[in-house]
Amino acid sequence: MSVREIIIHPDPRLREKTSAVDAFTPELEKLIADMIETMYQAQGIGLAAPQIGEQKRLFVLDVSENHDQPQVYINPEIVAKAGEVQSEEGCLSIPGVTETVPRAETITVRALDQQGAAFEQQLTGLHAICVQHELDHLDGKLFIDYLSPLKQKRIRKKLLKQERLATQNAEQA
Ligand code: NI
């Protein structure tokens, strides 16, 4: 297992198309293990494959209190949704930004687990929101896309500035 580098907005790789997982190989197992380790290391509750540069349809999450129950969703689909909630969200690919966006209150998600077995979950609360957020990543979508163009522009500027500062500091070190 290894911790992978998380790609930061506005990197175009976060906007690319992803393809369905069609083989349950040792490479896939390694990728899943890396994603879980990277998520924990970054203290996140979810991580999608495109965030580490893998254009594949899978994500991991852990919304348990003790952060000891990772779950894997491969080729996930939301097959039903109901209600609407305002959700305060952040994203490991958009560090330092928290904004409120609309989400469905309850969802039904179908996916494959790490062994390739199909499962279905009816979810509400944080778990439902996390699945919606991570599934958006697989479609090249970020939570800030739900905000006004002006807000999106400000966030983009802020992140580019942070990146410039980080590069400068690295050069000076
Ligand atoms: Ni995210």
Side-chain angles (χ1 to χ4, degrees):
M1 289 203 293
S2 46
V3 171
R4 306 268 296 258
E5 192 188 334
I6 295 175
I7 292 171
I8 304 298
H9 173 70
D11 192 305
R13 285 173 292 176
L14 293 170
R15 301 301 193 172
E16 281 174 19
K17 265 196 167 268
T18 54
S19 31
V21 172
D22 54 9
F24 290 78
T25 58
E27 288 74 33
L28 180 69
E29 269 176 47
K30 161 99 172 74
L31 172 61
I32 291 167
D34 286 355
M35 284 172 65
I36 291 171
E37 198 180 350
T38 304
M39 171 180 72
Y40 286 142
Q41 157 90 18
Q43 295 183 316
I45 58 169
L47 184 79
Q51 293 182 273
I52 57 164
E54 301 277 349
Q55 306 308 330
K56 296 192 175 86
R57 296 194 73 79
L58 80 146
F59 63 80
V60 297
L61 61 77
D62 187 343
V63 290
S64 69
E65 209 166 304
N66 297 319
H67 305 290
D68 56 0
Q69 289 164 47
Q71 296 183 59
V72 182
Y73 295 76
I74 297 169
N75 302 341
E77 266 183 284
I78 292 174
V79 294
K81 45 171 94 177
E84 194 183 298
V85 286
Q86 294 299 315
S87 157
E88 196 180 305
E89 297 182 19
C91 178
L92 294 175
S93 292
I94 313 175
V97 175
T98 313
E99 294 286 348
T100 301
V101 297
R103 295 287 184 192
E105 188 174 19
T106 60
I107 61 162
T108 305
V109 60
R110 275 186 204 148
L112 303 176
D113 68 14
Q114 197 157 354
Q115 282 76 41
F119 67 92
E120 187 176 298
Q121 291 174 333
Q122 254 197 332
L123 303 172
T124 185
L126 181 62
H127 199 160
I129 283 162
C130 193
V131 164
Q132 292 172 78
H133 177 118
E134 299 311 327
L135 216 153
D136 272 354
H137 275 298
L138 307 185
D139 295 322
K141 196 165 181 177
L142 303 172
F143 81 97
I144 53 170
D145 297 355
Y146 297 98
L147 304 172
S148 71
L150 180 64
K151 261 193 178 169
Q152 291 185 45
K153 210 171 145 187
R154 280 197 196 128
I155 290 167
R156 190 189 170 91
K157 257 185 148 171
K158 179 179 167 179
L159 288 170
L160 287 171
K161 191 176 166 193
Q162 278 173 8
E163 195 194 337
R164 266 201 310 278
L165 289 173
T167 312
Q168 280 171 11
N169 288 341
E171 279 165 1
Q172 282 161 8

